[in-house]
């Protein structure tokens, strides 16, 4: 008996240790390595706690529960997994493919994927630095938001108090009146009461305050709602004067973005191409697969070209493209800095334009959007080593490093910066107000 029990206890102990041992590989996953791989490979499209070009990846293992292998396969080769027709994947693609295209196959192995998933599972959002503005999902600063709220609540309170006062006084007035006269009709009674109240009971201050309150309250509510709408132009895709298709030009015919948006690599603005650039091709290409000659004729009208005689009349009028992305004037955004120094692709911010029949705004373009990326993205040191306002940060860190490691005097500053430190844009002052605001 005793022996039996003992051995069964032993057996369960053995089983338990077996479970513990086989479970250890999970602990062996390296979230720190996962973070590095994620930042290098995935962060251009994904954030963990916010949708970007791709969906936020928080709790992704829950969404793929029971399909761990499929998830790995997905990351390594989405187009293969798409073909399998898994219902979850199909639903995911219905939501994301139209705006962002299909995720590209990622050059990562299974071990790296385990690390990435461990990093995602362990992710805690960074605490905001002290002096920084807190924001809510609308990109409104916290202070503005609470100020607006306070104002509305305050006014509501004042009005409530006034109404309570009014009710008490009305009650009294009615009681006074009821003693004498016979009752008129219900509505007539109310009108008479209000008239009596306004002419006999109301003092001018209360009158002004009441009317003031009634007028300002709706205005405030409208302003408040409008503030909330500010900047939420995401998804904006207006009709354009010519049905120009990026899917056809940049997708099917694979024309470089820079061919038309000539400014992206050398200036603040990307530029919308002039009709001259269209004419490089459309002098010859006079009809298209969808609209025949109709839409291309509008280019000719704009530039004063007669396709039959192949002559220019000299009379031109600009094509009035409707602007889609539009930051307020107080914001300083520079394409060259992001595309050349920052080495970002257009897709990072504009989504998969090559798939878009009509361009739409994919990103939020709110302050929080800029700041999140600046917090997460590492600066490509090679492109920036000589940037003046980064130098001080580099030098301070370097001096500290030499002080802490006197034996490493032979490490040069450039080597130190490139090999011993990782800088996000935020580390180099990319969250300072004046960098982005005039
Ligand atoms: C070029 C952009 C891009 C890159 C880089 C990218 N993804 Fe994606 N990812 C997407 C898009 C877009 C989707 C949404 C599905 C679709 O449209 O293909 C997606 C979907 C996913 C999903 C499914 C999310 C869900 O909610 O179920 C996972 C998981 C994922 N990506 C992981 C990764 C990992 C890990 C990496 C890096 C190794 C990575 N992705 C790199 C664009 C990208
Ligand atoms: C053949 C010329 C041409 C090419 C190539 C081209 N575009 Fe455009 N792009 C235009 C024209 C014209 C407009 C304005 C009309 C419109 O919005 O569709 C435009 C508009 C845009 C807009 C919206 C601008 C706004 O108003 O905010 C973005 C973003 C954009 N293009 C990105 C790209 C990207 C990314 C590529 C490369 C993948 C690209 N374009 C390739 C001609 C071109
Ligand atoms: C580098 C060459 C090139 C440039 C530059 C170019 N296009 Fe095109 N465009 C084409 C080609 C090729 C076609 C398709 C012809 C076909 O498939 O039959 C086309 C087709 C079109 C169509 C007809 C689409 C349809 O489906 O009927 C329109 C409209 C158009 N382009 C407008 C523009 C405008 C506006 C510009 C300038 C902003 C421009 N294109 C610049 C090459 C170009
Ligand atoms: C870091 C994000 C980011 C990247 C990367 C980026 N853009 Fe933009 N793009 C923006 C923002 C923000 C605006 C709005 C600018 C404004 O209103 O001043 C914009 C505006 C535009 C416009 C409208 C005209 C203009 O200059 O304001 C075009 C066209 C455009 N981008 C094309 C491109 C192309 C092509 C690429 C890739 C070569 C690219 N962008 C890369 C963020 C980006
Ligand atoms: C997808 C990521 C991304 C987004 C979104 C983004 N940025 Fe940046 N930004 C970068 C990178 C990367 C750099 C570093 C460029 C370099 O290496 O010099 C940068 C640098 C800058 C700088 C120079 C900072 C400095 O310290 O000198 C300014 C200013 C800036 N961005 C403004 C903006 C604004 C304004 C927005 C939003 C409208 C924005 N950025 C959105 C990635 C981003
Ligand atoms: C990385 C770029 C960036 C930095 C750094 C930045 N801002 Fe902004 N800010 C923006 C952009 C972009 C907008 C426009 C948002 C919109 O139109 O929705 C904006 C808008 C604002 C607005 C108008 C309210 C709103 O949300 O539209 C205020 C106020 C503001 N910023 C204050 C600040 C202050 C204060 C700081 C420094 C603590 C700061 N910003 C740092 C990019 C930045």
């Amino acid at each position: 008996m005793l022996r039996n029990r003992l051995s069964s206890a032993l057996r369960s102990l053995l089983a338990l240790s077996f479970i513990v041992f086989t479970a250890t590989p999970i602990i062996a996953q390296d979230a720190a390595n996962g973070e590095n791989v994620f930042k290098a490979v995935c962060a251009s499209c994904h954030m963990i706690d916010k949708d970007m070009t791709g969906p936020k990846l928080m709790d992704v293992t829950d969404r793929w529960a029971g399909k761990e292998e499929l998830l790995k396969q997905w990351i390594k080769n989405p187009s293969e997994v798409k073909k399998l027709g898994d219902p979850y994947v199909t639903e995911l693609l219905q939501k994301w493919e139209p705006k962002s295209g299909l995720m590209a196959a990622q050059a990562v192995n299974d071990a790296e994927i385990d690390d990435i998933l461990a990093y995602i599972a362990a992710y805690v959002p960074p605490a905001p630095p002290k002096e920084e503005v807190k924001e809510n999902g609308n990109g409104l600063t916290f202070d503005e938001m609470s100020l607006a709220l306070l104002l509305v609540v305050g006014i509501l309170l004042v009005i409530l108090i006034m109404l309570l006062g009014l009710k008490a006084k009305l009650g009294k007035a009615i009681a006074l009146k009821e003693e004498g006269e016979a009752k008129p009709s219900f509505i007539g009674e109310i009108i008479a009461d209000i008239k009596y109240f306004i002419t006999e009971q109301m003092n001018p201050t209360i009158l002004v305050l009441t009317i003031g309150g009634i007028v300002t309250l709706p205005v405030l509510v409208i302003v408040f709602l409008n503030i909330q709408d500010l900047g939420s132009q995401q998804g904006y895709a207006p009709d354009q004067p010519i049905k120009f298709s990026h899917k056809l030009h940049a997708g099917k015919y694979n024309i470089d973005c820079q061919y038309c948006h000539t400014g992206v690599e050398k200036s603040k603005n990307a530029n919308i191409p002039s009709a001259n650039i269209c004419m490089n091709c459309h002098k010859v290409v006079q009809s298209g697969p969808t609209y025949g000659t109709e839409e291309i004729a509008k280019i000719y009208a704009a530039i004063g070209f007669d396709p039959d005689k192949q002559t220019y009349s000299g009379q031109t009028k600009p094509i009035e493209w409707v602007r889609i992305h539009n930051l307020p004037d107080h914001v300083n955004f520079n394409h060259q800095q992001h595309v050349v120094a920052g080495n970002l692709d257009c897709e990072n911010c504009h989504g998969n334009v090559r798939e878009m029949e009509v361009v739409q705004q994919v990103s939020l373009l709110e302050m929080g959007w800029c700041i999140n990326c600046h917090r997460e993205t590492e600066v490509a040191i090679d492109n920036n080593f000589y940037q003046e306002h980064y130098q001080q940060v580099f030098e301070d860190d370097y001096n500290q490093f030499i002080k802490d490691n006197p034996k490493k005097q032979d490490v040069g500053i450039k080597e130190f910066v490139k090999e011993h430190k990782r800088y996000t844009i935020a580390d180099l002052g990319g969250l300072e107000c004046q960098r982005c605001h005039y």
Side-chain angles (χ1 to χ4, degrees):
M1 265 299 270
L2 188 71
R3 244 186 61 193
N4 249 344
R5 273 210 206 137
L6 253 177
S7 76
S8 86
L10 243 155
R11 246 179 288 143
S12 13
L13 206 76
L14 256 172
L16 197 75
S17 61
F18 181 69
I19 292 172
V20 170
F21 270 98
T22 45
T24 36
I26 299 179
I27 304 165
Q29 285 164 3
D30 182 353
N33 182 47
E35 177 171 7
N36 290 338
V37 181
F38 180 87
K39 287 201 167 143
V41 188
C42 324
S44 56
C45 297
H46 289 288
M47 278 164 66
I48 295 180
D49 52 0
K50 221 173 150 198
D51 287 346
M52 205 166 66
T53 306
K56 62 178 172 204
L57 292 182
M58 194 171 257
D59 300 331
V60 68
T61 39
D62 295 347
R63 295 197 288 280
W64 292 70
K67 303 185 206 167
E68 286 71 18
E69 278 312 310
L70 191 70
L71 174 58
K72 283 186 187 164
Q73 226 181 318
W74 162 265
I75 294 170
K76 290 184 290 187
N77 198 344
S79 63
E80 278 304 312
V81 171
K82 179 183 175 182
K83 285 187 207 145
L84 302 177
D86 175 86
Y88 173 76
V89 174
T90 310
E91 200 186 312
L92 180 78
L93 288 175
Q94 268 164 7
K95 181 163 173 230
W96 284 91
E97 211 177 356
K99 55 179 172 182
S100 298
L102 183 64
M103 172 169 140
Q106 302 298 313
V108 286
N109 60 33
D110 285 357
E112 285 168 325
I113 293 177
D114 283 335
D115 291 352
I116 293 173
L117 295 177
Y119 164 61
I120 292 172
Y123 177 82
V124 242
K130 259 207 315 285
E131 75 280 331
E132 210 186 299
V133 199
K134 293 199 196 107
E135 349 134 42
N136 61 24
N138 292 315
L140 251 196
T141 55
F142 181 73
D143 287 344
E144 282 173 308
M145 193 77 184
S146 35
L147 194 72
L149 257 178
L150 267 178
L151 259 172
V152 173
V153 170
I155 300 266
L156 274 174
L157 263 177
V158 170
I159 289 177
L160 185 71
I161 291 169
M162 272 166 24
L163 280 177
L164 283 176
L166 189 88
K167 194 175 158 233
K169 285 199 174 178
L170 260 177
K172 253 189 236 159
I174 290 168
L176 265 176
K177 271 187 87 188
E178 265 177 356
E179 283 167 10
E181 293 160 29
K183 276 195 171 180
S185 76
F186 182 66
I187 304 277
E189 198 183 337
I190 292 180
I191 291 174
D193 283 342
I194 291 178
K195 223 160 139 192
Y196 170 77
F197 175 76
I198 289 177
T199 50
E200 306 285 325
Q201 295 278 315
M202 184 87 111
N203 73 39
T205 342
I206 297 189
L207 190 70
V208 168
L209 277 177
T210 313
I211 294 175
I214 291 171
V215 173
T216 41
L217 182 68
V219 173
L220 270 171
V221 169
I222 290 168
V223 168
F224 180 64
L225 291 179
N226 267 325
I227 292 178
Q228 286 203 305
D229 268 351
L230 259 188
S232 51
Q233 290 263 28
Q234 196 176 22
Y236 181 50
D239 279 339
Q240 297 290 353
I242 300 179
K243 292 199 172 60
F244 174 81
S245 165
H246 279 78
K247 192 173 178 182
L248 183 74
H249 290 84
K252 185 169 175 209
Y253 289 103
N254 209 10
I255 306 172
D256 245 16
C257 313
Q258 279 85 339
Y259 183 92
C260 291
H261 300 297
T262 50
V264 270
E265 290 189 341
K266 27 183 207 248
S267 74
K268 182 175 180 320
N269 291 314
N271 298 355
I272 301 297
S274 70
N276 287 324
I277 293 186
C278 315
M279 287 302 284
N280 291 348
C281 302
H282 285 290
K283 208 170 168 202
V284 181
V285 181
Q286 301 193 348
S287 92
T290 314
Y291 308 108
T293 55
E294 190 187 334
E295 294 295 320
I296 294 173
K298 295 181 187 166
I299 308 176
Y300 301 153
I303 204 154
F305 177 73
D306 182 334
D308 297 326
K309 300 192 194 119
Q310 295 272 315
T311 54
Y312 289 92
S313 68
Q315 289 195 323
T316 61
K317 59 175 170 54
I319 304 170
E320 312 257 345
W321 300 113
V322 181
R323 190 165 175 133
I324 302 163
H325 299 76
N326 214 347
L327 288 171
D329 288 342
H330 57 83
V331 180
N332 165 27
F333 176 85
N334 186 315
H335 270 94
Q336 180 189 28
Q337 177 149 39
H338 287 86
V339 174
V340 181
N343 209 7
L344 292 169
D345 288 330
C346 315
E347 281 89 87
N348 291 140
C349 300
H350 293 298
N352 195 346
V353 175
R354 283 175 206 282
E355 290 289 324
M356 294 179 193
E357 201 63 58
V358 178
V359 181
Q360 65 158 288
Q361 180 177 323
V362 167
S363 300
L364 272 172
L365 260 65
E366 286 172 356
M367 184 158 131
W369 173 70
C370 317
I371 292 204
N372 274 329
C373 183
H374 285 189
R375 260 200 215 124
E376 310 241 318
T377 313
E378 270 176 33
V379 172
I381 297 294
D382 272 338
N383 297 344
N384 285 288
F385 190 70
Y386 298 102
Q387 274 232 29
E388 210 177 314
H389 61 263
Y390 295 169
Q391 287 299 326
Q392 195 60 51
V393 183
F394 294 161
E395 274 167 28
D396 290 350
D397 286 356
Y398 178 65
N399 292 339
Q400 188 62 44
F401 169 76
I402 294 296
K403 219 161 118 198
D404 297 343
N405 305 280
K407 287 197 195 119
K408 302 212 170 156
Q409 294 283 358
D410 51 331
V411 176
I413 181 167
K414 190 161 182 189
E415 193 190 339
F416 162 75
V417 166
K418 273 184 66 180
E419 288 174 12
H420 296 262
K421 281 248 353 157
R422 291 274 167 268
Y423 291 98
T424 64
I425 302 138
D427 294 331
L428 295 172
L431 300 187
E432 284 167 18
C433 318
Q434 76 277 12
R435 294 276 161 82
C436 299
H437 290 291
Y438 292 112

